[in-house]
């Protein structure tokens, strides 16, 4: 009897020791895992981030996600940005229980705003920007990745489809989803001879590398809801000397403008904004010359098309003076004049230099605002026909539009009138474009 009681006590003590050891080990392992996850949070993974902005149209989103899961064999993460849907999209995303990463917004950020939120979350070494009204097909991602990785001069890759307004559209005769998938299974055979460089590529499905994202930055949220932001983005990528490639060996289904049918006014606004930012087609033709003559250069980035001698800021309270590709933190007082707000990706493309005092900065800006007989570094000039330039390191850099001039707060600077003969004495440097508008605070 006494022995049986001793055994029960021993068993109870052993169990308690076991549980204490288990819980201690669990807590230790959980903490170690949490710390490891936090340490690697900003590290990219060898896979693809698939970003889908969505607004209502739950039926299409659900079908799109199901097709991704069924036909994507490569490592990927799925990021959904809900732009204020009212049709149960938020509840659906929550029901997926960790199989996707998502953000749910109460308001519509627009296509560009939604994509930018996804880009900020993305961890993949490659990134797909995808419409919610698409159906993915056999080998779609492997084919596009093969094309993208074939040449470092490729900046964007897109597939062909059944419904689009450019030459990415091909003729199809299927009637059902099952027939479409049979067609795609036969069609999607990786073949470099079917990769075609193009000057235009539309944004229903875009693949790019992370290093290209770091160089070109985010989409411009000056475009509301949708249309034109993909054109803006590929123009900026082409300015880097990178190519657009249509992978004609890869087909995905596109229902077409499902989300955008209610946004006719947005389309009109976006076309006006596009023209104000880039100019007319003659002006864009001049940029085409820069694009076509650009040699592949992995060091070229969006900030190379920004001016010098400017005040900028990111998402925190720091203000920087940018001069000849280096940013200097302004210290010791209020900066002289308003600073242009830029995304952090753009700021990081300028290496940091020593601090600059507010007093010294005031003198620099005063000098640029005072009429002088000769062009000086960072000074502005204007020809008789109204074209504006900034002088930098012996070259004149054309400011492509009035909007670009306004965006960089050049209104208060002195603008020296010059003749065409005077202008032609200088070599012409890279053009100066307006920076993208990015409204989100957490970047």
């Amino acid at each position: 009897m006494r022995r049986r009681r001793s055994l029960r006590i021993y068993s109870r003590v052993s169990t308690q020791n076991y549980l204490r050891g288990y819980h201690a080990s669990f807590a230790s392992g959980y903490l170690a895992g949490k710390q490891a996850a936090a340490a690697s949070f900003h590290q990219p993974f060898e896979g693809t981030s698939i970003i889908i902005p969505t607004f209502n149209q739950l039926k299409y989103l659900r079908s799109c996600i199901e097709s991704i899961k069924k036909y994507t064999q490569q490592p990927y993460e799925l990021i959904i940005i809900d732009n204020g849907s009212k049709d149960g999209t938020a509840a659906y995303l929550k029901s997926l229980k960790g199989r996707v990463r998502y953000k749910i917004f109460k308001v519509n950020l627009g296509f560009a705003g939604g994509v930018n939120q996804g880009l900020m979350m993305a961890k993949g070494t490659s990134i797909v920007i995808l419409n919610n009204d698409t159906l993915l097909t056999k080998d779609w991602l492997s084919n596009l990745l093969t094309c993208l990785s074939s040449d470092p001069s490729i900046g964007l890759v897109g597939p062909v489809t059944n419904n689009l307004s450019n030459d990415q559209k091909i003729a199809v005769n299927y009637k059902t989803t099952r027939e479409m998938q049979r067609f795609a299974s036969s069609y999607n055979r990786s073949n470099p001879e079917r990769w075609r460089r193009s000057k235009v590529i539309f944004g229903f499905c875009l693949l790019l590398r992370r290093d290209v994202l770091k160089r070109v930055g985010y989409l411009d949220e000056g475009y509301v809801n949708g249309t034109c932001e993909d054109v803006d983005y590929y123009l900026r990528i082409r300015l880097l000397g990178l190519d657009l490639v249509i992978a004609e060996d890869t087909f995905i289904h596109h229902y077409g403008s499902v989300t955008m049918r209610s946004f006719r006014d947005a389309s009109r606004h976006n076309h006006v904004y596009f023209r104000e930012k880039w100019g007319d087609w003659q002006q864009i033709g001049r940029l085409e010359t820069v694009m076509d003559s650009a040699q592949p250069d992995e060091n070229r980035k969006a900030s190379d098309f920004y001016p010098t001698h400017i005040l900028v800021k990111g998402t925190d309270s720091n203000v920087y003076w940018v001069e000849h590709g280096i940013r200097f933190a302004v210290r010791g007082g209020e900066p002289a004049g308003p600073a242009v707000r830029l995304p952090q990706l753009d700021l990081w493309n300028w290496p940091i230099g020593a601090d600059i005092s507010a007093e010294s900065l005031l003198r620099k800006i005063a000098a640029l605002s005072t009429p002088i007989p000769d062009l000086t570094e960072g000074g502005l000039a204007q020809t008789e026909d109204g074209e504006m330039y900034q002088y930098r390191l012996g070259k004149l850099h054309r400011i492509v539009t009035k909007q670009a001039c306004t965006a960089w707060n050049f209104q208060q600077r002195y603008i020296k009138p010059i003749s065409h003969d005077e202008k032609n004495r200088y070599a012409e440097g890279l053009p100066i474009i307006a920076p993208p508008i990015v409204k989100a605070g957490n970047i």
Side-chain angles (χ1 to χ4, degrees), residues 283 286 375 380-390 396-399 415-426 428:
Q283 292 278 38
R286 293 176 67 179
L375 283 173
L380 303 178
Q382 187 174 33
T383 58
E384 299 103 315
D385 56 4
E387 288 204 332
M388 289 191 58
Y389 295 85
Q390 186 180 53
L396 288 178
H397 297 255
R398 183 171 64 90
I399 303 173
I415 303 174
K416 177 180 170 55
I418 60 172
S419 67
H420 277 285
D421 287 341
E422 289 177 286
K423 190 262 292 185
N424 291 335
R425 294 173 194 164
Y426 299 94
E428 188 164 328

Side-chain angles (χ1 to χ4, degrees), residues 367 370-377 379-381 391 414 416 418 422 426:
T370 303
I372 51 175
D374 299 313
L375 283 173
T376 59
E377 285 298 308
L380 303 178
Y391 180 76
Y414 171 65
K416 177 180 170 55
I418 60 172
E422 289 177 286
Y426 299 94

Side-chain angles (χ1 to χ4, degrees), residues 147-215:
C147 177
L148 182 67
S149 63
S150 68
D151 188 337
S153 70
I154 298 176
L156 273 182
V157 175
V160 294
T161 189
N162 60 298
N163 188 348
L164 212 61
S165 60
N166 73 338
D167 60 359
Q168 288 174 260
K169 178 179 178 178
I170 65 171
V172 297
N173 59 7
Y174 56 77
K175 303 296 183 182
T176 66
T177 299
R178 182 173 295 180
E179 290 177 359
M180 182 273 292
Q181 291 294 356
R182 280 202 299 267
F183 164 78
S185 180
S186 174
Y187 185 95
N188 290 358
R189 306 292 173 86
S190 183
N191 182 356
E193 293 183 1
R194 297 172 66 191
W195 301 340
R196 173 169 54 85
R197 276 159 170 79
S198 176
K199 292 185 177 182
V200 178
I201 188 169
F202 280 2
F204 76 103
C205 177
L206 297 173
L207 173 68
L208 68 157
R209 297 185 304 276
R210 172 170 289 275
D211 65 282
V212 172
L213 169 64
K214 289 181 177 179
R215 292 166 60 191

Side-chain angles (χ1 to χ4, degrees), residues 95-106:
S95 75
L96 296 178
K97 296 180 180 178
R99 286 175 285 175
V100 303
R101 299 172 62 209
Y102 60 84
K103 277 188 178 180
I104 297 170
F105 291 91
K106 294 182 179 180

Side-chain angles (χ1 to χ4, degrees), residues 7-21:
L7 287 174
R8 282 198 301 271
I9 294 172
Y10 174 79
S11 176
R12 188 164 59 248
V13 170
S14 297
T15 300
Q16 290 171 348
N17 289 339
Y18 169 80
L19 290 174
R20 276 196 294 270

